[in-house]
Amino acid sequence: MSKSATVPLLEVRQIQKFFPIKTGLFSRVTGHVHAVDGVSFSIEKGETLALVGESGCGKSTVGRSILRLFDLTSGEVILDGTRIDNLSASALRPLRKRVQVIFQDPFSSLNPRMRVHDIIAEPIRNFGLESDEAKIKERVAYLLDKVRLSKDAGERWPHEFSGGQRQRICIARALAAEPELIICDEAVSALDVSVKAQIVNLLQDLQKELGLALLFISHDLAIVEHMTHRVAVMYLGRIVELATRTELFSDPKHPYTSALLSAVPVPDPEKKTTRIVLQGDVPSPVKRPSGCHFHTRCPEAIDICKTEEPKQTILPSGRMVACHLRKV
Ligand code: SF4
C-alpha cells in the first residue's frame, strides 16, 4: 500500500504559536499573544476542512503555520507522512509546491508590474515544472480556461480586472504549482455576495475535478455550509468543536457553534431559529479567561466553567467537542 493511501495528506498535531510582546528600550518580553494553543486536525486527500471562528481566533495563524511563514512554539505539522515544521528551507523547498495559498486580498497579492501570463507562469518556472516556453504558454492558457478567464487575459495587467477576476488569477497561480492542498485564507471575504458564490462554486468544481484538498479558513459559516466536508470551530486559539458539515449544521454541540449558527441567514422562514446574541467581544489572546475561555460570553456557563478547562471529548459518532456540558 502506498504511503499516501495510509496517512492523511495533512496532519496538524497539538500546534502552539505564541507571539512574544516586547516592550521598552531593551525589548524585554512582557507577555505573549496566545494565537494558537494546542490545535490538532487532519485533512485527507481531496477533502475540504473549513476552519471557522471570529476575527482574531487564530485560524489564519494556523494556515500560516502550515505554510511555515513562521516557526511554531511547539507541535508538529506532517505532510503526507513527512514532518515539515522542523525542516530547513532547502529541505522544505521540494514540498512547497504541494501546498499553495490563496489570500483574502486579490488586490495586494498580485504583482502590479507583471502581466497575468507571467504571474501564472512564475510557479511553473520556479518549481521546475516546465522550461519550454511554448509548453508554459499552453499550460497558462489551460489554467486561465480552468478558472474561466479568456485566453487573452494573459496579456493584460492585474489592474484591468475586477476583484473576482483577480481572485480567479490567484487561483490559477495556485493551481500552476500542481498542489495537492490549497489553503484558502478568507479567500472570498473581500468579494461581493454574488461574486463570492461564483468563486466558491469554482473552487468546488476544481476540487472535484483535480482531487484537491482545501483548508478553507473563514469567519463566515454561511459560506462554508455548502462546500465543506468537515468543519472545525475555533475560539481564542483552540478548536472547540470539529464535526462533519451535516452534524455541525443540524446539531451543533458547543454553545459557541450554536451562537455562530444562529446568526447564519436561513432562506426558509419555517426553519428560522432564535438568534443567540453573544455579550461582549472576544477576550484578548494576551490575557485569556480562566477555565473555559468562552465562559465570559457563554449563555450556558456553570460554575466549573470558570475554573476548569473542558477536555476535548470524542463523542461516539467521532465528532469532537470541548464543553463541560456535552460529554455524550
Ligand atoms: Fe459554556 Fe461551560 Fe461549555 Fe465553556 S464549558 S462552552 S462555558 S458550558
Side-chain angles (χ1 to χ4, degrees):
M1 206 180 270
S2 71
K3 185 166 73 169
S4 57
T6 57
V7 297
L9 176 61
L10 179 81
E11 227 185 318
V12 170
R13 286 190 194 154
Q14 286 297 318
I15 62 168
Q16 285 186 318
K17 181 62 193 175
F18 300 161
F19 294 100
I21 300 166
K22 296 178 181 174
T23 47
L25 196 56
F26 301 105
S27 295
R28 208 162 51 85
V29 176
T30 53
H32 286 90
V33 176
H34 302 91
V36 175
D37 188 6
V39 163
S40 299
F41 60 81
S42 61
I43 304 179
E44 303 294 331
K45 207 171 170 26
E47 184 189 31
T48 300
L49 176 74
L51 196 54
V52 300
E54 288 162 289
S55 165
C57 72
K59 54 195 189 304
S60 289
T61 307
V62 171
R64 286 167 164 78
S65 303
I66 296 165
L67 291 163
R68 279 286 303 273
L69 298 186
F70 39 63
D71 288 332
L72 289 173
T73 305
S74 69
E76 297 179 1
V77 178
I78 297 156
L79 181 67
D80 202 11
T82 302
R83 189 170 166 190
I84 60 168
D85 57 276
N86 56 359
L87 291 182
S88 65
S90 58
L92 190 64
R93 200 174 151 64
L95 296 171
R96 278 218 181 271
K97 71 175 275 304
R98 299 177 70 176
V99 183
Q100 293 296 302
V101 63
I102 303 165
F103 288 113
Q104 174 174 0
D105 183 4
F107 289 91
S108 64
S109 51
L110 296 172
N111 185 338
R113 286 181 290 279
M114 283 170 84
R115 285 186 199 272
V116 169
H117 170 89
D118 292 316
I119 289 171
I120 301 173
E122 197 173 41
I124 302 175
R125 296 189 184 110
N126 285 354
F127 289 118
L129 296 170
E130 185 55 71
S131 54
D132 181 289
E133 283 305 317
K135 287 197 175 139
I136 290 177
K137 205 169 172 191
E138 250 175 54
R139 178 85 181 138
V140 171
Y142 165 84
L143 290 164
L144 284 171
D145 183 55
K146 276 274 153 277
V147 299
R148 296 164 203 160
L149 287 174
S150 64
K151 230 186 237 175
D152 68 353
E155 296 315 309
R156 294 158 61 191
W157 303 92
H159 73 262
E160 296 177 55
F161 295 89
S162 67
Q165 289 171 326
R166 282 175 180 230
Q167 207 54 307
R168 288 173 194 270
I169 297 167
C170 294
I171 296 170
R173 179 178 58 187
L175 292 176
E178 299 174 14
E180 290 151 83
L181 169 68
I182 298 185
I183 297 176
C184 304
D185 187 0
E186 298 279 12
V188 298
S189 304
L191 306 175
D192 293 340
V193 177
S194 62
V195 182
K196 252 183 210 176
Q198 288 168 16
I199 298 294
V200 166
N201 290 341
L202 173 66
L203 284 167
Q204 256 184 307
D205 292 348
L206 291 170
Q207 180 192 38
K208 283 186 201 135
E209 196 182 326
L210 306 173
L212 287 166
L214 299 180
L215 175 61
F216 198 88
I217 296 170
S218 176
H219 66 279
D220 188 350
L221 265 172
I223 288 289
V224 307
E225 184 172 0
H226 301 290
M227 57 111 37
T228 193
H229 297 109
R230 290 184 300 143
V231 188
V233 180
M234 277 190 80
Y235 188 79
L236 268 185
R238 291 185 181 152
I239 293 179
V240 295
E241 181 160 13
L242 201 163
T244 64
R245 175 190 57 178
T246 318
E247 283 171 335
L248 191 114
F249 280 87
S250 62
D251 180 24
K253 296 286 187 201
H254 197 280
Y256 180 57
T257 313
S258 302
L260 289 183
L261 278 178
S262 77
V264 172
V266 183
D268 180 353
E270 302 234 319
K271 289 190 182 160
K272 200 153 176 53
T273 52
T274 314
R275 173 94 192 254
I276 303 166
V277 181
L278 295 175
Q279 301 303 316
D281 295 324
V282 181
S284 162
V286 177
K287 203 169 182 305
R288 297 169 298 175
S290 58
C292 173
H293 295 337
F294 186 54
H295 85 254
T296 51
R297 303 171 79 202
C298 179
E300 299 182 48
I302 52 178
D303 281 351
I304 191 177
C305 304
K306 293 181 191 152
T307 52
E308 214 172 288
E309 185 192 325
K311 289 200 173 59
Q312 295 191 334
T313 307
I314 308 293
L315 303 183
S317 64
R319 63 191 291 183
M320 185 284 281
V321 64
C323 172
H324 289 302
L325 298 179
R326 309 278 191 276
K327 293 191 176 156
V328 284

